[in-house]
Amino acid sequence: MRTISKYYLVCFISFLSVVGCTKKDQKTYPQKVPLTESVYASATIQPDSLYEAYSSVSGILDYNLVEEGETVRKDQAIVQIGNLETEMNKRNVQLSLRLARDNYEGEAAILREIQDEIKTALLQLKNDSINYFRQKNLWEQNIGSKIEFDNRQLAYDLSQNTLRLLKRKYERTQNELSTQVMQAENDVKAAQKISKDFTIASKIDGTVYALYKNPGEIVSTNEPVAAVGHSNRFLIELLVDEVDIVKLDIGQKTWILLDAYGNQVFEAKLSKIYPKKDERSQTFKVEATFLVPPKKLYPGLSGEANIVIAEKDETLTIMKEYLIDGSRVLTDEGEMPVKIGIQSLDKVEILDGIDENTVILKPNR
């Protein structure tokens, strides 16, 4: 038993020695150093103006007209959805338009026939007019019969009336044929619009980053069929905790670390703050743009970011682990209140309460 007691006594003395040395080593002084306060965010690279293309009609996918990764121009077709019935209707209305135009202005135009009738009626009117006025002069000289004069007058009146009716017929037919042409043109435009709905085109000059459907699959109006974005312009999508969002402003310096580039740091600046919180992740989305982007970027590259919200070239600081409850430090004379300023991941600025000559002790946690 005596041997065991000596053993424990040696251990206890050794323990006190370690504690004493540790406590002595945990003394430090505040130091004046540069300090930067920043907000952490997770980062994901996305193409600028990235959007998902939806179809306004339902159907069966006929063709993907481009490949993933292929560059496209604005209004270039990307996806074709089957629309046999729509195509047949478009051809029919195009035929109707052609017929309406032929009737209105073509070689076999209905108006041309009426124009020929008008020419004939004009000749007849001229002839009947000559006969009428000749017979009228004779009748005024008491030459000829009353019946012959009346017949000439009747023929002249009928010729005038026929010409008048033909001119009205021409105007009416012209209006009707013109209306038919306009209606047929409207039908063609409507059919083309409907047909265009079955062809999904790019809204921008860019790259097709994803095609979500294969030929033969069903396309619905509530599922995207493709993702398109700019080819060479990328932005950094950042997710920020809700407790930090109020500290951010447009234009703040941002440091980016991408997993694909190891420890290489890229400088960016905050360009957009989205006002709506994601209720599932309890984060806000913000965007930053590279000042000098990496040589190669791909959608979905991930990493992390630090958004700088305050910087000082030199200020009095202590390690955070020496701070008690965010407002006090432990000194040889006991706990003392301090006023803190900006803070980094491991340091905090001291604005008042202690100076560089104050010995501070690490508190027991």
Side-chain angles (χ1 to χ4, degrees):
M1 295 295 292
R2 185 177 301 170
T3 305
I4 296 176
S5 298
K6 288 182 179 179
Y7 171 77
Y8 279 109
L9 179 59
V10 171
C11 290
F12 180 69
I13 292 172
S14 300
F15 172 76
L16 291 178
S17 299
V18 171
V19 171
C21 293
T22 303
K23 187 172 182 180
K24 181 179 179 181
D25 292 340
Q26 289 180 332
K27 291 182 178 181
T28 189
Y29 293 89
Q31 293 181 338
K32 285 190 175 181
V33 295
L35 186 64
T36 299
E37 182 174 6
S38 61
V39 168
Y40 173 84
S42 61
T44 306
I45 302 301
Q46 296 289 8
D48 191 13
S49 301
L50 180 70
Y51 75 95
E52 290 185 323
Y54 287 79
S55 173
S56 59
V57 295
S58 299
I60 305 297
L61 182 67
D62 268 357
Y63 308 102
N64 284 320
L65 303 174
V66 295
E67 299 287 338
E68 289 182 337
E70 186 173 337
T71 57
V72 291
R73 306 293 297 175
K74 183 179 180 182
D75 297 326
Q76 180 179 337
I78 300 174
V79 170
Q80 180 64 53
I81 302 170
N83 60 337
L84 179 60
E85 183 179 347
T86 304
E87 283 298 317
M88 293 296 295
N89 179 62
K90 186 172 74 172
R91 292 178 185 176
N92 288 337
V93 296
Q94 287 173 339
L95 290 174
S96 297
L97 175 60
R98 187 182 304 170
L99 178 61
R101 284 176 174 168
D102 285 342
N103 289 336
Y104 183 63
E105 56 190 16
E107 293 297 328
I110 297 175
L111 291 177
R112 187 162 300 184
E113 296 178 2
I114 302 176
Q115 286 176 336
D116 292 340
E117 292 180 13
I118 290 175
K119 289 178 182 179
T120 301
L122 282 170
L123 291 174
Q124 184 65 44
L125 175 61
K126 184 177 180 180
N127 183 64
D128 290 339
S129 173
I130 292 172
N131 291 333
Y132 165 69
F133 284 106
R134 180 186 298 153
Q135 191 64 39
K136 182 180 179 183
N137 290 332
L138 292 174
W139 178 248
E140 290 175 351
Q141 300 174 23
N142 294 321
I143 300 173
S145 64
K146 183 70 167 61
I147 294 176
E148 189 174 5
F149 173 72
D150 290 341
N151 288 337
R152 298 296 183 187
Q153 186 177 20
L154 178 61
Y156 176 61
D157 291 340
L158 288 174
S159 295
Q160 291 184 96
N161 189 51
T162 299
L163 180 61
R164 189 163 48 249
L165 291 175
L166 284 173
K167 287 182 176 180
R168 289 179 182 175
K169 179 181 178 182
Y170 181 86
E171 292 177 357
R172 184 177 64 254
T173 304
Q174 186 181 43
N175 290 334
E176 290 175 353
L177 293 177
S178 176
T179 301
Q180 289 175 8
V181 171
M182 288 188 291
Q183 288 176 340
E185 288 174 343
N186 290 336
D187 290 341
V188 169
K189 289 179 181 178
Q192 288 174 339
K193 185 180 184 305
I194 294 173
S195 178
K196 189 176 180 181
D197 290 340
F198 286 84
T199 301
I200 301 174
S202 175
K203 296 180 180 179
I204 60 172
D205 294 341
T207 297
V208 178
Y209 287 101
L211 293 169
Y212 300 124
K213 297 289 184 178
N214 295 315
E217 292 184 342
I218 297 175
V219 175
S220 64
T221 57
N222 58 358
E223 291 181 323
V225 294
V228 184
H230 277 295
S231 303
N232 301 315
R233 296 208 309 267
F234 290 84
L235 54 84
I236 312 151
E237 190 176 281
L238 306 172
L239 296 181
V240 178
D241 193 278
E242 64 174 320
V243 299
D244 294 321
I245 191 64
V246 295
K247 303 174 186 176
L248 303 187
D249 290 302
I250 301 298
Q252 286 174 330
K253 186 189 299 183
T254 305
W255 300 107
I256 307 296
L257 275 171
L258 295 176
D259 295 341
Y261 283 90
N263 294 325
Q264 189 174 356
V265 179
F266 300 96
E267 186 176 356
K269 68 176 180 179
L270 209 62
S271 57
K272 187 172 184 178
I273 299 175
Y274 289 85
K276 190 175 185 304
K277 182 177 73 172
D278 187 323
E279 296 296 339
R280 292 175 299 176
S281 62
Q282 298 296 301
T283 59
F284 283 84
K285 184 170 76 170
V286 302
E287 291 177 359
T289 53
F290 287 106
L291 297 187
V292 179
K295 291 183 179 180
K296 289 185 179 181
L297 286 173
Y298 294 94
L301 289 181
S302 60
E304 52 189 14
N306 283 291
I307 305 166
V308 178
I309 60 175
E311 285 184 290
K312 290 192 176 180
D313 293 335
E314 186 178 77
T315 188
L316 190 66
T317 66
I318 65 171
M319 301 299 291
K320 278 187 174 180
E321 57 190 1
Y322 284 81
L323 194 63
I324 303 172
D325 296 334
S327 62
R328 303 187 309 278
V329 293
L330 182 61
T331 71
D332 289 334
E333 299 176 359
E335 291 187 7
M336 295 185 62
V338 291
K339 182 180 179 182
I340 67 172
I342 67 173
Q343 49 189 306
S344 66
L345 190 63
D346 58 348
K347 293 185 179 68
V348 60
E349 180 186 25
I350 301 299
L351 299 175
D352 192 26
I354 59 176
D355 58 30
E356 290 179 272
N357 298 317
T358 305
V359 177
I360 58 175
L361 307 174
K362 187 174 181 180
N364 293 324
R365 301 294 182 180

